[in-house]
Amino acid sequence: MSLFNLKGKVAIVTGSSRGIGRSIAHQLARQGARVVVSSRKQDACEAVVKEIQAEGGTAMAISASIAVKDQLQAMIQKTKETWGPIDILVCNAASNPYYGPATGMSDEIFNKVMHNNVLSSTWLCNMVYPDMKAQKDGAIVIVSSIGGLHGSSVIGAYNLSKAADMQLARNLAVEWGPDNIRVNCIAPGLIKTDFAKALYEDPVLSAKYNNETPLRRMGEPDDIGGVAVFLTSPAGQYVTGQTIVADGGMMIR
């Protein structure tokens, strides 16, 4: 059996209607997982489901906002009612509503960043825990960022939330390891998604980034999707509490 075989596994991927989340949903489905595609917009989720089904995969769309606990709980419940216990959770959805110095940030914005990027992941992890504990098996991946590994004068709160995600993974890995539940983070560098469009479409900034990155290119969503497959499959069965940096070497240059 392939070390990357996910046949029969039930997976939920938040923020999976585009970008990194979309790639993760596709890659998990290609390895045999049944994938819940989730984001705020049902039609966008259904479009990704159709793509997966066209490749022979199994998926369903369940819209939910990571900011609303009841919607997340309803998503979990519908998944269980349709496919049974949840084996894989990927917390990919996040937000960054503010660009500028932290000294100019309102409490409302700070709370929103931490609510959406940290508290919602904590909710979701706790929601899937009972199934995983009962099965003595489970894999959780939180998509963080290399922003959680360095300071910033313009996205400080976002970086703070992403550093917190890494610690959340470490804490849960320690708590839930005896139940054979693995919890890890992926810390992407600059990936060609809508989130980073302003950067990679600027020829000056793009050339500078590519020149400074050891692999001499920006990342593609599938560069992260592959890491998610590793962390959720038998290939990664002895990896927990870790943050896998996937940034083309930018952080070690």
Side-chain angles (χ1 to χ4, degrees), residues 164-237:
D165 284 339
M166 298 176 192
Q167 187 61 31
L168 175 61
R170 287 188 285 264
N171 288 349
L172 295 183
V174 171
E175 288 188 35
W176 297 350
D179 294 311
N180 195 36
I181 300 169
R182 297 177 292 106
V183 189
N184 292 288
C185 275
I186 304 174
L190 184 54
I191 308 297
K192 287 185 178 180
T193 65
D194 289 345
F195 191 82
K197 201 170 185 178
L199 293 175
Y200 73 77
E201 287 190 344
D202 183 314
V204 176
L205 290 175
S206 179
K208 184 176 186 294
Y209 185 91
N210 290 339
N211 187 57
E212 292 179 354
T213 305
L215 289 184
R216 294 296 189 267
R217 68 176 178 88
M218 294 180 190
E220 300 287 346
D222 282 350
D223 292 324
I224 309 305
V227 180
V229 170
F230 162 69
L231 289 174
T232 57
S233 69
Q237 63 187 349

Side-chain angles (χ1 to χ4, degrees), residues 1 42 61 96 109 140 180 217:
M1 186 177 70
Q42 182 71 15
N96 183 34
I109 292 295
I140 296 171
N180 195 36
R217 68 176 178 88

Side-chain angles (χ1 to χ4, degrees), residues 87-127:
D87 304 289
I88 296 167
L89 169 67
V90 180
C91 298
N92 169 70
S95 61
N96 183 34
Y98 179 83
Y99 187 87
T103 48
M105 183 186 305
S106 68
D107 289 350
E108 182 183 9
I109 292 295
F110 181 84
N111 288 338
K112 182 176 181 178
V113 171
M114 299 304 290
H115 180 106
N116 290 355
N117 298 359
V118 184
L119 181 59
S120 70
S121 293
T122 306
W123 284 343
L124 282 164
C125 290
N126 280 305
M127 287 174 189

Side-chain angles (χ1 to χ4, degrees), residues 57-68:
T58 302
M60 69 173 166
I62 306 177
S63 61
S65 169
I66 56 171
V68 184

Side-chain angles (χ1 to χ4, degrees), residues 144-152 155 158-160 162-163 166 187-188 251:
S144 179
S145 167
I146 60 169
L149 298 171
H150 64 80
S152 171
I155 55 170
Y158 176 79
N159 286 4
L160 180 62
K162 291 303 173 179
M166 298 176 192
M251 289 298 294

